[in-house]
Amino acid sequence: MSLIAQRLTSSSVARRVLNSSLAAAITTPHGVDRYVEMIDPLWSSTEIRAEVTDVERKTADSVTLTLRPNNLWTGFKAGQFVKLSVEIDGIRRTRCYSPANSQFRRDGHLELTIKVDPDGLVSPWLLAHAKPGLIVQISQAQGEFHIPLPHPRSILLISGGSGITPVMSMLRTLTERAYIGKVTFLHYAFTEDDVIYREEIAEIEAKYEGVRIVRAYTNADNGDLRGFFSREHLVAADKHYAEAETFLCGPMPLMDGVRAVFEAEGISDRLHLEQFAAPTRTVPTDDATGTLSFGASQIEVENSGQTILEQAEAAGLTPDYGCRIGICNTCVFKKDAGTTRNVLTGEINSDEDVNIKTCISAPCGDVSIAL
């Protein structure tokens, strides 16, 4: 090898060694991801992160967030939900919310309208503190609550309160894609001022001949209907309701009322629903015995008969949860030993070293869980 070649080779090796050393110094002790995040907070190789680009407070007890997700987001079907995580006082909190925008929104942003629970933690925090620039984490879209393909020829949407968000997404998606069937939208609220998308709904009704909006107010007389859901309301909204595919989301009294009518009519197979409120327990838990042990926290409590999630919170622990009704899997932890009962179905689980949903599982006697 010539002297020139030796010098060039030595110089190349030296540069590679130097670059390698600099890279090692820069990425110790955190790794590349941590430093890229300093430049672009949305960047992640594993997490779907989203930036809040706009915040609106359409009513006194709601907040609407527009989110710009990173490139790991794969989209959603109108009606599905996402798990939103925010950090509050140094602890990541997770809740489930349904996008309200069309699934075909051109800029790829998400719109989440969140009704504030005065006894909650995340929704009041978002109402008070959310602002453009906030970075949150979201999951991929989940849930089977969405309009099937091909679309039914007749669709009935029923919602109440914050349940308007997934059906609003359906309505926006259908109208954006020039759906040629019939859509009836029956929405329940206390008064006109409590309807989050009141102006947009009126605009859609005026623009699309195939869309009928029926407003039902429980505390006012200026709606199309007054009071709570009934078969009479159903007939008034759409006298051909038995021929439609119905999509329902709202508070439990509304959900129970609609289910009861559809069951009595023998058309439950045409009813599709989404719920984010805890249903009534079908299994009594007032004869509780034993000790509930939280192994990872080294805490033991006397079993109160409540769900493991409720007892963990009462013991001062702060486990993640989302829906509290057993659909989102946010609150899943490993049960090391013992027997639990599903408080909704009564199903018994005596297996060891299995993951359980703590929001719907109650201890039967002594139980140890890795929490």
Side-chain angles (χ1 to χ4, degrees):
M1 183 182 293
S2 69
L3 180 60
I4 294 176
Q6 288 177 346
R7 286 177 177 174
L8 287 173
T9 301
S10 299
S11 177
S12 298
V13 171
R15 283 197 299 271
R16 287 199 298 272
V17 170
L18 177 60
N19 291 338
S20 177
S21 299
L22 285 172
I26 291 173
T27 60
T28 302
H30 295 295
V32 175
D33 285 15
R34 179 68 181 88
Y35 291 97
V36 176
E37 289 168 15
M38 294 179 180
I39 301 171
D40 181 5
L42 280 185
W43 191 91
S44 173
S45 60
T46 57
E47 292 183 341
I48 307 172
R49 295 176 184 169
E51 178 187 7
V52 175
T53 61
D54 189 54
V55 179
E56 293 182 82
R57 292 164 176 86
K58 297 177 183 289
T59 64
D61 60 350
S62 72
V63 57
T64 297
L65 310 178
T66 301
L67 306 179
R68 178 173 66 91
N70 66 14
N71 60 7
L72 295 182
W73 171 249
T74 59
F76 74 104
K77 296 178 181 179
Q80 291 186 303
F81 67 90
V82 299
K83 292 187 285 186
L84 172 76
S85 298
V86 294
E87 188 172 294
I88 302 175
D89 296 330
I91 300 174
R92 178 176 288 188
R93 307 288 186 173
T94 302
R95 301 292 186 269
C96 297
Y97 300 113
S98 299
N101 56 285
S102 165
Q103 70 183 67
F104 301 114
R105 180 166 169 158
R106 293 181 182 179
D107 61 9
H109 291 192
L110 289 178
E111 180 182 313
L112 302 181
T113 292
I114 299 164
K115 185 73 174 292
V116 175
D117 177 1
D119 298 321
L121 176 63
V122 174
S123 57
W125 188 91
L126 290 171
L127 178 66
H129 301 289
K131 60 183 179 180
L134 173 69
I135 302 298
V136 299
Q137 181 186 350
I138 60 174
S139 70
Q140 296 290 5
Q142 301 177 34
E144 299 302 318
F145 184 65
H146 54 79
I147 299 174
L149 289 174
H151 292 334
R153 296 182 62 182
S154 179
I155 294 174
L156 173 59
L157 306 175
I158 305 177
S159 65
S162 60
I164 195 174
T165 54
V167 296
M168 192 67 194
S169 177
M170 292 178 177
L171 183 63
R172 284 168 159 173
T173 297
L174 290 168
T175 53
E176 184 175 312
R177 285 302 162 115
Y179 170 68
I180 60 174
K182 183 185 74 170
V183 180
T184 302
F185 183 14
L186 170 59
H187 179 67
Y188 285 82
F190 295 124
T191 68
E192 181 182 46
D193 292 337
D194 296 301
V195 181
I196 297 172
Y197 292 99
R198 181 176 69 252
E199 294 180 2
E200 183 179 349
I201 289 171
E203 292 172 0
I204 290 174
E205 182 179 32
K207 183 177 180 180
Y208 296 96
E209 184 177 349
V211 176
R212 181 177 184 229
I213 308 297
V214 182
R215 303 161 180 84
Y217 301 142
T218 57
N219 295 354
D221 294 320
N222 60 335
D224 302 301
L225 299 171
R226 170 66 192 261
F228 298 97
F229 178 85
S230 64
R231 185 181 182 281
E232 290 71 27
H233 278 199
L234 184 60
V235 173
D238 184 359
K239 63 182 180 180
H240 301 297
Y241 63 88
E243 301 171 11
E245 293 294 326
T246 300
F247 298 85
L248 165 69
C249 188
M252 287 308 299
L254 173 62
M255 306 272 281
D256 291 341
V258 175
R259 274 188 293 221
V261 170
F262 274 65
E263 288 173 3
E265 296 283 319
I267 54 173
S268 293
D269 60 323
R270 290 188 172 273
L271 179 62
H272 316 274
L273 52 87
E274 185 75 276
Q275 65 183 45
F276 289 114
T280 303
R281 297 179 185 181
T282 59
V283 178
T285 56
D286 54 0
D287 57 348
T289 60
T291 300
L292 176 58
S293 302
F294 301 104
S297 305
Q298 298 184 334
I299 293 175
E300 290 188 354
V301 297
E302 292 299 315
N303 178 19
S304 67
Q306 294 180 303
T307 65
I308 293 173
L309 175 61
E310 290 168 331
Q311 295 194 57
E313 291 174 330
L317 302 179
T318 55
D320 281 343
Y321 66 85
C323 64
R324 297 187 86 101
I325 60 172
I327 64 173
C328 75
N329 297 315
T330 303
C331 69
V332 169
F333 291 91
K334 184 169 70 73
K335 182 182 64 167
D336 295 320
T339 298
T340 55
R341 178 189 288 117
N342 185 311
V343 299
L344 305 183
T345 66
E347 181 181 358
I348 297 295
N349 183 333
S350 298
D351 296 333
E352 297 184 355
D353 296 322
V354 295
N355 290 330
I356 63 170
K357 299 174 182 179
T358 58
C359 71
I360 57 171
S361 299
C364 301
D366 294 335
V367 169
S368 177
I369 186 163
L371 193 161

